[in-house]
Amino acid sequence: MNDATALVERAGDVLPDVLADLRRLVESETPSNDKQALDAGLADIGTWLTERLGEPVARERHDGGHYGDVLDITLPGTASGTVLLLCHYDTVWPVGTLAEWPFTTEGDRITAPGCLDMKLGIVHGVWALRLLRELEIPHPSVRFLLNGDEEIGSHSSRPHIERACTESTATLVLEPSRAGKAKIRRKGLGLFDLAVRGVESHAGLDPAAGASAIHALAELIPAVTALAAPDRGTTINIGLISGGTVRNVVAGRAGCEIDIRIQDPEEMPRIDAGFAALAVADDRIEVEVTGGWNRPPMNPNPPSERLFDHARAAAEDIGRTLEGTSVGGVSDANFVSALGKPVLDGLGAVGAGPHSRDEHVVPSESPGQIAMLAGLISRLRDF
C-alpha cells in the first residue's frame, strides 16, 4: 500500500474521532469579542493539541490584550523545513448560541456555530499531522498558529502571523474550502467611517440657521459609491447609517460605515484620493473619514503558484482533482500573500453557510480533505 492510499484509509478509520474533536471545539464557545471565553477556549485547544500530538518542541502564547491570545506551537518533523498551519479559533457567534443551536448531525451534515468557520479546519490540521506520524511518512516540522481575532480584523495577531510566515517554508490556511476548491485569490478589505458634523437648529422656527448633517450625508453617499469600479474588482457597500437626534431638530451629526473590497492594490490610492476630495456645498458642514485598509488583496505570486502545484499533485495522489477559486472575503492569508510568501488558503472543511444559521459541514468529505492536507505537508519537505 502506498502512502496516499494509506492516508485515505486511515483518515476514514479515524473519522469518528475527528468528529468527536470537532464537537469538543464547537462546544467551547469562542466569540471574537469575549476575552474570557476566548481564554478558556484556547486553553482547551492547547490541552487537546497535546493530547493528540504530544508535547511540542516550542510553545508560546502571545497576549492579545483586549483580543484573543495567539497560540504558537511547533511539532518536530522527520525532514527539513517548517510548514505553518494558520488557523483562527474565534467565531462570530456569541456565548449562549449553542444552547439554542446545538451540535446536530443529520445524515451527511453537521450543523453548529463555528463548525465550518473554522473549527473543523483546526481539527483537520491536527489529524493530518497525526496520520503522518502514525504511518511514518516523512514530513517537515509543523507549526500551528491559532489566533482569536481573525473575524474582527486580526489587529493583535497580524505581527505574529507575519513573523511566523517569514520563518516558515510555506503557509497553509485551514479556512473552509469553496465546495472543495482551494482559495487562491481573495479581495482586499477597507473599513472606513464617514462622519459629518452640521449645525443644529429648530426645524420649524429657524430652519435656515441649521446645516443638516443628514442632508449632507445624503449628498456624500452617492459620491462615495461612485468610487466603485466593478470592472476592476472594486465594490463599495454602505452598511450602516446613523444620525440626528429627534424629528424636529436639524441634524447636527450623521455618519455611515463603509465596506470596500478591492482586487487590484492600485485601487487603494485612488479610493484614498476620492475620500480626501469629499465635500458638500454648505461650508458649515465638516466631513471626516477615518478607518483604513484592513487587509491587502491576495493575488497569486510565483511561490504561491508553485505551492498550489504541489497541492494539486497531493490531490491527484488520492484520486482527486483540486481546483482553485477566487472569493470576495478576506482571511489571514492576505497578510502572508502581501509579503510575497507562498500561501494557499481554503484547505479546511467542506460545507456551506459560514456566518449564518445554515452553517454546516459535510463529514464524508473530511477523510479526503485530511489525506490531501497530509500529503501536501509531506510533499513540502522538498519545497
Side-chain angles (χ1 to χ4, degrees):
M1 183 184 300
N2 62 33
D3 289 346
T5 302
L7 282 169
V8 173
E9 289 194 5
R10 185 65 184 134
D13 292 340
V14 301
L15 182 58
D17 294 321
V18 169
L19 301 182
D21 286 349
L22 171 62
R23 183 166 196 154
R24 173 174 175 169
L25 267 60
V26 162
E27 292 184 346
S28 177
E29 294 178 289
T30 50
S32 306
N33 59 357
D34 190 324
K35 177 67 169 175
Q36 184 176 359
L38 289 165
D39 285 347
L42 187 56
D44 186 59
I45 289 173
T47 299
W48 164 72
L49 272 166
T50 302
E51 291 171 357
R52 288 303 190 196
L53 297 173
E55 288 295 333
V57 293
R59 179 196 296 261
E60 190 169 3
R61 181 164 170 159
H62 304 287
D63 184 2
H66 296 298
Y67 304 104
D69 292 352
V70 177
L71 184 61
D72 188 348
I73 289 179
T74 301
L75 286 304
T78 56
S80 62
T82 300
V83 174
L84 176 65
L85 298 186
L86 188 53
C87 313
H88 69 87
Y89 63 95
D90 63 319
T91 77
V92 300
W93 303 103
V95 170
T97 304
L98 197 67
E100 60 188 53
W101 177 19
F103 186 97
T104 304
T105 302
E106 298 174 345
D108 194 20
R109 173 189 170 105
I110 292 174
T111 180
C115 62
L116 177 68
D117 190 11
M118 59 168 292
K119 292 190 172 178
L120 186 52
I122 300 172
V123 175
H124 281 185
V126 168
W127 276 97
L129 178 55
R130 180 169 171 131
L131 296 191
L132 287 171
R133 289 173 154 192
E134 285 186 5
L135 297 170
E136 299 182 345
I137 297 172
H139 62 276
S141 297
V142 174
R143 182 174 182 177
F144 288 87
L145 195 75
L146 299 111
N147 68 316
D149 63 348
E150 191 274 344
E151 295 290 5
I152 53 175
S154 300
H155 302 288
S156 174
S157 59
R158 180 174 181 174
H160 303 295
I161 293 166
E162 292 178 335
R163 183 176 64 255
C165 78
T166 61
E167 296 171 350
S168 302
T169 307
T171 299
L172 307 179
V173 184
L174 304 187
E175 289 277 1
S177 72
R178 184 73 175 265
K181 298 178 182 179
K183 298 171 181 176
I184 60 173
R185 189 188 301 269
R186 285 183 177 271
K187 288 194 175 184
L189 172 64
L191 302 173
F192 295 89
D193 294 311
L194 173 58
V196 182
R197 285 177 291 277
V199 179
E200 291 183 334
S201 69
H202 193 295
L205 295 177
D206 201 6
S212 173
I214 289 178
H215 295 183
L217 181 63
E219 185 180 340
L220 290 166
I221 285 176
V224 171
T225 57
L227 294 171
D231 58 320
R232 282 174 267 177
T234 301
T235 60
I236 297 179
N237 181 63
I238 309 294
L240 179 67
I241 293 177
S242 61
T245 52
V246 294
R247 187 192 303 267
N248 62 347
V249 174
V250 174
R253 59 169 185 82
C256 64
E257 297 181 7
I258 307 166
D259 177 298
I260 302 181
R261 309 284 168 143
I262 61 166
Q263 199 70 67
D264 181 355
E266 294 302 317
E267 286 289 88
M268 287 190 279
R270 184 183 72 82
I271 297 293
D272 290 340
F275 278 142
L278 289 176
V280 294
D282 192 330
D283 60 10
R284 294 174 295 171
I285 296 289
E286 296 179 14
V287 178
E288 182 182 22
V289 178
T290 57
W293 296 100
N294 175 257
R295 286 180 172 89
M298 171 186 167
N299 292 311
N301 56 41
S304 295
E305 290 173 341
R306 189 158 60 94
L307 178 58
F308 184 45
D309 288 340
H310 280 270
R312 284 188 293 196
E316 290 172 2
D317 287 343
I318 62 171
R320 300 176 67 180
T321 299
L322 180 65
E323 299 179 14
T325 190
S326 302
V327 295
V330 299
S331 83
D332 291 331
N334 292 61
F335 299 134
V336 182
S337 178
L339 295 175
K341 301 299 180 182
V343 61
L344 187 59
D345 198 355
L347 295 172
V350 177
H355 297 197
S356 79
R357 290 282 176 155
D358 186 50
E359 181 172 4
H360 66 274
V361 297
V362 181
S364 64
E365 295 284 351
S366 284
Q369 291 293 101
I370 292 169
M372 181 178 66
L373 177 60
L376 174 56
I377 293 171
S378 177
R379 280 179 165 272
L380 295 180
R381 67 187 188 273
D382 300 320
F383 189 71

